[in-house]
Amino acid sequence: MALDKPYLDIPGTTIFDAEQSRMGYHLNQFCVSLMKPENRERFRAYERAYLDEWPMTEAQKQAVLDRDLNRCIQLGGNIYFLARIGATDGKSFQQMAGSMTGMTEEEYRNMMLHGGRSVEGNRYLGEDGDAQPQHQPQGSAGKQGKAGKK
Amino acid sequence: MANITASVYTSHVPAIGVAIDQGRTQEPYWQPLFQGYEFSRMWMQDNTPDVIFLVYNDHATAFSLDIIPTFAIGCAAEFKPADEGWGPRPVPVVKGHPQLAAHIAQSVIQQDFDLTIVNRMEVDHGLTVPLSLMCGQPQQWPCAVIPFAVNVVQYPVPSGRRCFELGRAIRRAIESFDLPLKVQIWGTGGMSHQLQGARAGLINKEFDNLFLDKLIADPEAAAMIPHIDYVREAGSEGIELVMWLIARGAMSDVKSGSDVVGGQPPKVVHRFYHVPASNTAVGHLILENK
């Protein structure tokens, strides 16, 4: 019988369950290694070589090199682990979270200052909230994209 | 006999720790938040316990994906602040209470909760930020602390119901300890927040405040909230709120064992809610046992 996964219909959200964790084991353990200052230095000096020491998939390595956190999460990464990459880059949690929405840092910070993202329209896939797939990327990046298509 | 005098609930956002450590608490962004904890720091000075039983979650710091314990109790004599990638926080080493921790471990396991016993562990912002919020910046923390780490990182995390039952078991364990210690139990994490994906930045004030109401007045009902409601309504990281139910389940109004009726409802001495701290809604309660 299939496992109960009632959380697959939430937009813009990947639940880090046992299956994701299995897929992301080496990616996340690479992130853990960045808790040591000497490893952070080695990674900063030559990222590709450091990544090649880990049995990660090529797609996972590329997502790290691109700092594409959404892709990292899709490939089994978890934000608390991925935060070690952000820390190595001198980024805050807010900068990291914001980067996944397509908004600029200022846009995301302003959204938080104004009470954060509303849950309305963002509970289930198929609604019309700002986190839905049809509204990505968010912020000025999304507006530019739409203008470009016209 | 040891007893639980009060429970404290608070979010544990890492940026709050950074603001304290860098002396930025009076900046316009942070001032309203820290104002909400001024009462709490005075209350803490007037009501310093002998031991804090501090329920928190480790954020991929002490526990990587190599070992993922659902419930882990820190039984060591001390716990050093961890380097989470930005360098360790400049806060005192946390002193444990190995004697009480070992007693609780034995009692709670005998009550059918399979705790992982940890004799060496570093502690991250999940534990040190609540201490900073409640105690300020002392040279030493004012009392012993027993860290109790709950897995809320890898799904499935323990249910609210199980956390609430665990709180009951912890209370029975503490009340069966022979030394006359005053113990506070803290539940930390939450409130609504999501740190990932296109839905990052989600805040749900209505859910949060209803949760606070329910936690105070009808904790049995709060304990029945299923995982999916936290995730959908309060964001993927809002699931941390199950940890608050451990502290609430340990309060004396909750029926426990031979105590069929339960005691008086706790006194709400402080309630505070603020948005935002970085990506997160901050909630805070102090409940005293009558």
Side-chain angles (χ1 to χ4, degrees):
Chain A
M1 211 178 106
L3 291 168
D4 184 23
K5 294 190 175 185
Y7 42 79
L8 297 178
D9 62 352
I10 305 174
T13 303
T14 305
I15 297 302
F16 186 67
D17 59 13
E19 192 179 343
Q20 289 294 116
S21 180
R22 177 190 59 73
M23 202 187 347
Y25 177 69
H26 294 293
L27 167 59
N28 289 314
Q29 294 301 87
F30 145 74
C31 295
V32 169
S33 76
L34 298 179
M35 287 170 69
K36 292 192 173 145
E38 61 270 28
N39 289 342
R40 293 200 283 272
E41 268 172 46
R42 282 182 51 227
F43 175 67
R44 273 193 289 253
Y46 192 0
E47 295 192 3
R48 179 74 217 193
Y50 190 85
L51 286 167
D52 282 340
E53 294 171 16
W54 294 84
M56 294 158 59
T57 66
E58 185 54 34
Q60 289 171 330
K61 291 179 191 175
Q62 194 58 48
V64 172
L65 291 169
D66 295 342
R67 300 298 192 271
D68 184 342
L69 295 182
N70 280 325
R71 182 90 177 117
C72 286
I73 285 173
Q74 192 185 7
L75 297 171
N78 170 272
I79 187 59
Y80 292 123
F81 291 84
L82 297 171
R84 311 300 179 211
I85 304 173
T88 303
D89 292 339
K91 294 236 189 295
S92 70
F93 253 102
Q94 187 168 65
Q95 288 168 318
M96 285 183 263
S99 80
M100 288 180 269
T101 67
M103 281 185 255
T104 66
E105 218 179 298
E106 193 189 354
E107 286 167 346
Y108 184 84
R109 187 179 160 91
N110 282 337
M111 176 180 80
M112 296 315 302
L113 278 171
H114 290 92
R117 179 189 306 284
S118 170
V119 73
E120 296 307 323
N122 290 325
R123 291 185 173 90
Y124 296 88
L125 280 169
E127 297 180 314
D128 201 31
D130 51 10
Q132 297 286 344
Q134 67 271 25
H135 296 310
Q136 306 312 309
Q138 301 163 44
S140 53
K143 287 187 191 101
Q144 279 161 17
K146 274 170 201 155
K149 277 176 203 161
K150 279 177 188 171
Chain B
M1 173 179 112
N3 73 305
I4 295 173
T5 54
S7 53
V8 173
Y9 309 80
T10 179
S11 308
H12 59 213
V13 185
I16 294 175
V18 177
I20 293 170
D21 300 340
Q22 297 182 352
R24 287 163 42 205
T25 59
Q26 293 312 304
E27 288 180 5
Y29 182 92
W30 289 112
Q31 197 271 341
L33 179 127
F34 287 102
Q35 196 172 16
Y37 284 84
E38 263 172 36
F39 170 88
S40 313
R41 285 197 301 278
M42 289 187 305
W43 177 85
M44 195 62 196
Q45 282 180 3
D46 296 339
N47 297 276
T48 308
D50 299 301
V51 185
I52 299 166
F53 189 90
L54 206 159
V55 181
Y56 74 111
N57 67 290
D58 178 77
H59 301 77
T61 305
F63 304 114
S64 69
L65 290 188
D66 283 339
I67 299 175
I68 307 169
T70 296
F71 299 119
I73 184 165
C75 295
E78 62 174 45
F79 306 89
K80 291 197 174 75
D83 180 351
E84 299 176 58
W86 292 269
R89 286 194 65 209
V91 293
V93 169
V94 173
K95 304 287 182 189
H97 198 298
Q99 201 185 350
L100 178 59
H103 172 90
I104 294 172
Q106 173 147 342
S107 167
V108 169
I109 292 168
Q110 283 172 336
Q111 296 177 66
D112 291 339
F113 286 90
D114 305 318
L115 306 188
T116 298
I117 292 166
V118 185
N119 287 313
R120 192 179 60 187
M121 170 167 79
E122 293 189 343
V123 289
D124 71 12
H125 71 268
L127 184 126
T128 60
V129 166
L131 285 173
S132 296
L133 277 169
M134 295 298 293
C135 310
Q137 295 177 288
Q139 288 299 308
Q140 297 297 326
W141 299 119
C143 61
V145 177
I146 297 175
F148 191 86
V150 180
N151 166 43
V152 292
V153 172
Q154 179 171 321
Y155 197 93
V157 313
S159 69
R161 182 83 230 158
R162 184 155 171 79
C163 287
F164 192 68
E165 294 296 336
L166 172 60
R168 285 183 161 129
I170 290 167
R171 173 184 162 200
R172 285 192 285 266
I174 289 171
E175 290 180 350
S176 66
F177 190 66
D178 280 337
L179 294 178
L181 298 177
K182 280 185 288 183
V183 181
Q184 286 178 9
I185 182 163
W186 293 12
T188 72
M191 297 192 80
S192 59
H193 66 304
Q194 175 152 338
L195 301 176
Q196 51 128 344
R199 213 167 72 125
L202 185 105
I203 298 287
N204 190 338
K205 289 182 188 176
E206 195 184 351
F207 176 93
D208 289 342
N209 280 289
L210 282 172
F211 182 85
L212 292 173
D213 293 344
K214 225 181 233 187
L215 191 78
I216 293 166
D218 192 359
E220 301 264 356
M224 295 310 287
I225 299 171
H227 281 152
I228 188 67
D229 288 14
Y230 291 103
V231 176
R232 206 183 294 286
E233 297 293 329
S236 48
E237 279 65 55
I239 193 85
E240 290 178 350
L241 285 170
V242 296
M243 293 186 289
W244 293 31
L245 289 161
I246 296 177
R248 188 64 183 88
M251 294 297 281
S252 63
D253 63 322
V254 177
K255 288 180 224 163
S256 169
S258 59
D259 174 14
V260 189
V261 282
Q264 294 288 308
K267 182 181 170 196
V268 183
V269 295
H270 190 52
R271 176 174 174 162
F272 176 67
Y273 184 74
H274 175 77
V275 176
S278 184
N279 305 285
T280 306
V282 171
H284 174 40
L285 283 177
I286 301 175
L287 304 182
E288 283 177 359
N289 269 334
K290 280 185 187 164

